[in-house]
Amino acid sequence: MTDVYIVGVGIHPFGRTDGLSGLQQGAYAVRQALSDAGLDWNDMQFGFGGSDASGNADAIVNELGLTGLPIINVKNGCATGGSAMIGTWQGIASGQYDVGVALGFDKHPRGAFNAMPAEYSLPDWYGEVGMMVTTQFFAMKLQRYMAAHGISSTTLGRVAEKAFQNAVHADHAWRRAPVDIDTILNSQMINDPLTKYMFCSPGEGGVALILANEKKARELGRTAVRIKAAAVRTRPPGSFEVFAPCIDIARGGAPTLLASKAAFEMAGLGPSDIDVAQLQDTESGAEIMHMAENGFCADGEQEKWLAEGWTRIGGKLPVNTDGGCLACGEPIGASGLRQVYENVIQLRGLGGGRQVPGDPKTAYSHVYGAPGISGVTILQR
């Protein structure tokens, strides 16, 4: 397989954009990425794209031009964007194509995601008792984790405080005002132990990446950021994931454990080799749990990590440098690609006030969603 490089990136700011559809926000991101790469829409040989609630990605041709290129539609939960990138990466790595586009976009209505039990092979009663409301599931899972590993509510607050502080310096973020930890901890309780500032919000946005093989990347002078690994995994037996109707007595692994292990093996790297990471933070507890599931610390060590500031911009492993989902919101189709976009910005040294010091060379992104699917991408400069 040939090496694959990210030669162009583009993003439509996340949040709420009246007057633009999700598809149009995706087209905006594609135009940015093409400009960044020094290419035209006619140069694209193929694409993978996804959306959860805003239509099929192949309709992007109505906005960008009817060139006849093949576009594969992807719908893979919160891993939609990451899966679109993997498809594009595989198409180029296999030698079939020289250059292609991965895109994701969405435009969700206000309020919680409206998932239906039948779509996840669940009985109606699961929704009737309120467990299809993801905030309840995340809070329940987090309570178990906090009790088992000694995680405090203060640590949850520190995750959110860090997110909003980082987002001050991210032009594409939705929530760009800092929020102090006392305000976070004392704000409205949504689902114990999570307050309103500890949750992300469904939102809008679009992201696009232009990928190319080494020959094309050299022609463009864009060989700085290489995709070292990408993997997606679903849940194994005994895992306890979103929309699980019960928990097994015999506990098993988790999709993040599987995806992380596969990506590290593919890249020939380990957690200690990573300079910056973007981890799924649907709520503050998710970032906490995913720090351990991705191998960056042991269960329970997050207390010290957050207290010592090790996940802040200047810490030993900066996490969610643009504010993550907590500050950016989560348009499902675009969210995983936003993480990769942010890592490219960091590896290029263009992060401005949120730039990780010390000339970072490796970057890690992780996305997680219902009903237990995880995707990991590792980049290297």
Side-chain angles (χ1 to χ4, degrees):
M1 296 177 71
T2 185
D3 287 337
V4 179
Y5 296 81
I6 298 177
V7 299
V9 295
I11 192 167
H12 184 282
F14 282 25
R16 298 286 178 202
T17 306
D18 294 336
L20 281 184
S21 68
L23 191 69
Q24 289 170 328
Q25 292 177 53
Y28 177 100
V30 172
R31 292 188 186 100
Q32 269 201 347
L34 289 169
S35 177
D36 183 44
L39 294 169
D40 296 320
W41 180 240
N42 288 329
D43 295 319
M44 295 298 98
Q45 297 174 351
F46 77 115
F48 280 76
S51 167
D52 185 75
S54 296
N56 291 338
D58 66 293
I60 204 85
V61 300
N62 295 331
E63 300 288 334
L64 298 171
L66 307 179
T67 62
L69 85 165
I71 294 183
I72 306 300
N73 294 314
V74 179
K75 188 171 182 179
N76 209 12
C78 292
T80 292
S83 299
M85 195 205 72
I86 288 175
T88 310
W89 168 63
Q90 289 174 335
I92 295 171
S94 69
Q96 185 173 2
Y97 299 103
D98 300 320
V99 62
V101 58
L103 65 132
F105 55 89
D106 251 313
K107 188 181 182 79
H108 300 294
R110 288 171 172 81
F113 293 119
N114 187 27
M116 297 291 105
E119 296 175 358
Y120 296 90
S121 298
L122 293 170
D124 289 342
W125 66 258
Y126 190 80
E128 291 166 358
V129 299
M131 293 310 296
M132 291 303 290
V133 180
T134 54
T135 61
Q136 295 198 49
F137 179 88
F138 287 132
M140 180 177 64
K141 182 176 181 178
L142 178 57
Q143 284 189 12
R144 290 179 60 88
Y145 190 86
M146 293 172 70
H149 301 293
I151 302 298
S152 66
S153 294
T154 299
T155 295
L156 300 181
R158 286 177 174 141
V159 170
E161 183 184 45
K162 169 181 64 70
F164 296 121
Q165 183 61 53
N166 289 352
V168 170
H169 306 287
D171 291 344
H172 60 269
W174 185 4
R175 316 292 191 190
R176 298 191 60 200
V179 183
D180 66 86
I181 192 167
D182 288 338
T183 299
I184 292 167
L185 292 174
N186 294 304
S187 63
Q188 179 185 1
M189 183 67 70
I190 302 299
N191 288 102
D192 191 17
L194 296 163
T195 69
K196 71 175 184 178
Y197 286 110
M198 296 178 186
F199 280 105
C200 77
S201 299
E204 306 175 18
V207 184
L209 310 175
I210 308 299
L211 276 56
N213 62 19
E214 185 171 10
K215 179 181 178 182
K216 185 67 175 179
R218 290 192 180 281
E219 289 176 4
L220 297 168
R222 290 283 188 167
T223 56
V225 179
R226 178 161 57 116
I227 299 173
K228 286 286 288 183
V232 171
R233 294 292 187 272
T234 54
R235 62 195 186 282
S239 64
F240 186 46
E241 313 301 335
V242 185
F243 302 150
C246 62
I247 184 169
D248 292 351
I249 294 175
R251 296 302 305 280
T256 294
L257 293 172
L258 299 178
S260 179
K261 182 175 184 291
F264 277 128
E265 289 179 353
M266 191 182 305
L269 299 170
S272 63
D273 297 312
I274 302 301
D275 296 323
V276 56
Q278 317 300 328
L279 305 180
Q280 180 77 19
D281 59 333
T282 312
E283 34 76 25
S284 292
E287 180 175 316
I288 294 290
M289 290 184 283
H290 291 144
M291 285 171 61
E293 286 192 354
N294 284 283
F296 295 115
C297 67
D299 292 316
E301 288 184 352
Q302 300 97 325
E303 277 287 295
K304 182 175 182 178
W305 276 64
L306 270 296
E308 299 292 332
W310 291 350
T311 59
R312 291 186 175 271
I313 295 297
K316 62 189 294 186
L317 180 68
V319 174
N320 292 331
T321 49
D322 65 350
C325 291
L326 291 179
C328 293
E330 187 176 23
I332 287 177
S335 192
L337 290 178
R338 173 193 55 79
Q339 294 179 325
V340 179
Y341 169 91
E342 173 64 13
N343 278 340
V344 171
I345 296 300
Q346 289 291 336
L347 293 182
R348 289 181 178 179
L350 301 176
R354 68 184 192 278
Q355 177 62 44
V356 171
D359 194 26
K361 291 181 171 58
T362 55
Y364 185 99
S365 69
H366 156 266
V367 67
Y368 169 88
I373 186 168
S374 183
V376 171
T377 301
I378 299 175
L379 306 181
Q380 188 174 62
R381 178 170 61 82

